[in-house]
Amino acid sequence: MQLTDTYGRTIKSLRISITNRCNLKCIYCHREGEIRHTNNEMSIDTIANIVKASRKFGVNKVKFSGGEPLMRNDFERIIKALPELKDISATTNGTSLAQRAHDLARSGLNRINISLPSLTPEKYRKVTGGDVNIVFDGIDAAVASGLIPVKLNMVLMKGLNADEIPAMMDFIKKYDGKVILQLIELMNFQQTARYQVNIDEVEKFLEKRADGIEERSMHRRRKYHIDGIEVELVRPIDNSHFCANCNRLRVTSDGKLKPCLLRNDNLVDVNNKEPVEIEELMKLAMEKREPFYKDAML
Ligand code: SAM
């Protein structure tokens, strides 16, 4: 039995936000589409029950996000409470990884994405309010702990960091393929339209240098092989293909199934529910699930 919506899209992965709290202040942050901030964080049991329910429908990939997931001191225990899965990953700002990467890997985390909008201390501070050197230590710790491939998430901003793409490509070379660069088109959640990059130009820049190009069906992401490194390009905006192959169901930090990043009028509450109830509510969420950008599906 699978979870398939009325547009024929089958859920293969969960993206679970486990907190709204964060120790950085990224100027572009979309907060996983959560507009209401709540301190009502899901318990370990609720998180495990949601994953157990989704296993019944063949879902075997989970990604944790936030806020900053490592703000939760029980993150290692959350991972340990999960049923057997093919892939458990997280996206983090990397500021606590130097201390926790080893324990996270031992708890069962398979791999990690680390936000790195700039390599330059001043620019990094301007964009996030934090210290980039701490993140460099976190990247090293993640690689040493085997949380690989480590993906470095760079949200592109004109006039701020877009000129750093070549430097980023150089930076990951030293990790011998264990670190991948993920370039992400900025989504305008925080009145950041002035930073919007022409993503077609970025695509051309990568195409020119690529020895090989692959395309994943999920969100139609392109992966470029360039001089022994891998660079992925994520184009979420006005991209009907982004939605057409979306196989992800989101969960908010206060325990609501969220069928789409860009909508908040179709949430389904599963907080403090048992797996059997959650299974039924997942079917309900499927009825409410529709692509935000529909053109390619009509
Ligand atoms: N604090 C964690 C982190 O930094 O990865 C998890 C939360 S963050 C919202 C999750 C991911 O969303 C990060 O990879 C970040 O780069 C991406 N992101 C945040 N705001 C974005 C935006 N406006 N457009 C595109 N991607 C964004």
Side-chain angles (χ1 to χ4, degrees):
M1 204 176 24
Q2 292 185 317
L3 286 171
T4 303
D5 66 21
T6 45
Y7 292 80
R9 302 176 306 166
T10 298
I11 301 298
K12 304 238 169 75
S13 71
L14 295 182
R15 185 170 177 110
I16 307 178
S17 175
I18 53 174
T19 182
N20 280 154
R21 291 175 289 139
C22 190
N23 56 333
L24 294 183
K25 288 193 171 63
C26 299
I27 56 172
Y28 50 75
C29 187
H30 62 34
R31 299 172 180 176
E32 300 297 347
E34 283 190 43
I35 45 170
R36 273 192 334 163
H37 268 211
T38 161
N39 294 325
N40 187 21
E41 291 174 0
M42 282 182 284
S43 66
I44 296 180
D45 279 347
T46 293
I47 297 167
N49 285 344
I50 293 170
V51 178
K52 276 178 202 150
S54 71
R55 283 293 298 123
K56 285 274 174 64
F57 298 108
V59 175
N60 56 21
K61 285 175 74 175
V62 172
K63 172 158 267 150
F64 290 102
S65 185
E68 171 48 45
L70 273 72
M71 292 298 283
R72 280 193 66 156
N73 294 330
D74 58 358
F75 190 30
E76 288 80 354
R77 285 192 287 135
I78 292 173
I79 296 165
K80 277 187 198 154
L82 301 179
E84 178 101 13
L85 293 163
K86 202 164 115 192
D87 187 39
I88 308 174
S89 64
T91 170
T92 171
N93 60 35
T95 53
S96 321
L97 274 181
Q99 295 79 31
R100 289 176 67 184
H102 179 71
D103 283 348
L104 287 168
R106 240 185 15 190
S107 304
L109 189 70
N110 299 122
R111 60 191 180 85
I112 204 136
N113 290 41
I114 302 175
S115 293
L116 186 64
S118 176
L119 296 167
T120 319
E122 305 77 52
K123 272 195 204 167
Y124 183 85
R125 187 170 292 285
K126 186 170 175 187
V127 174
T128 70
D131 177 359
V132 75
N133 288 304
I134 296 173
V135 184
F136 292 152
D137 292 344
I139 296 168
D140 290 344
V143 172
S145 306
L147 293 173
I148 51 174
V150 171
K151 287 194 184 178
L152 297 187
N153 287 357
M154 180 187 191
V155 174
L156 296 175
M157 287 167 291
K158 188 169 69 184
L160 273 179
N161 67 354
D163 59 337
E164 281 192 68
I165 298 174
M168 279 281 186
M169 288 164 60
D170 267 355
F171 175 77
I172 66 168
K173 275 191 184 142
K174 66 178 176 215
Y175 293 104
D176 291 330
K178 294 186 179 116
V179 175
I180 294 173
L181 178 60
Q182 188 157 258
L183 304 175
I184 306 175
E185 184 179 16
L186 172 69
M187 299 174 86
N188 187 18
F189 276 77
Q190 303 283 356
Q191 297 176 335
T192 49
R194 66 187 178 285
Y195 296 126
Q196 208 66 47
V197 165
N198 181 338
I199 214 74
D200 289 332
E201 281 175 18
V202 178
E203 197 153 88
K204 275 187 211 135
F205 170 86
L206 296 171
E207 270 169 14
K208 240 190 234 163
R209 283 156 186 80
D211 312 312
I213 303 174
E214 287 168 61
E215 193 163 285
R216 283 171 60 187
S217 66
M218 170 67 174
H219 294 169
R220 208 184 187 194
R221 290 174 184 206
R222 280 186 147 199
K223 187 185 268 191
Y224 300 85
H225 297 270
I226 303 172
D227 254 357
I229 60 160
E230 279 180 31
V231 182
E232 281 187 20
L233 185 62
V234 184
R235 300 186 62 157
I237 299 179
D238 209 5
N239 177 356
S240 44
H241 298 282
F242 186 81
C243 296
N245 297 313
C246 179
N247 57 30
R248 165 188 287 176
L249 181 61
R250 293 170 172 271
V251 184
T252 64
S253 57
D254 60 347
K256 297 189 171 64
L257 302 177
K258 187 175 189 320
C260 176
L261 168 68
L262 297 163
R263 284 179 60 179
N264 279 291
D265 58 349
N266 56 357
L267 307 181
V268 177
D269 195 351
V270 292
N271 204 12
N272 297 317
K273 303 266 195 293
E274 294 302 317
V276 237
E277 277 175 281
I278 299 174
E279 283 173 35
E280 289 313 306
L281 291 165
M282 281 184 161
K283 291 182 197 161
L284 178 65
M286 283 306 101
E287 289 168 24
K288 293 170 176 260
R289 193 169 186 270
E290 54 175 10
F292 191 80
Y293 300 116
K294 284 189 195 146
D295 291 357
M297 316 197 62
L298 299 175

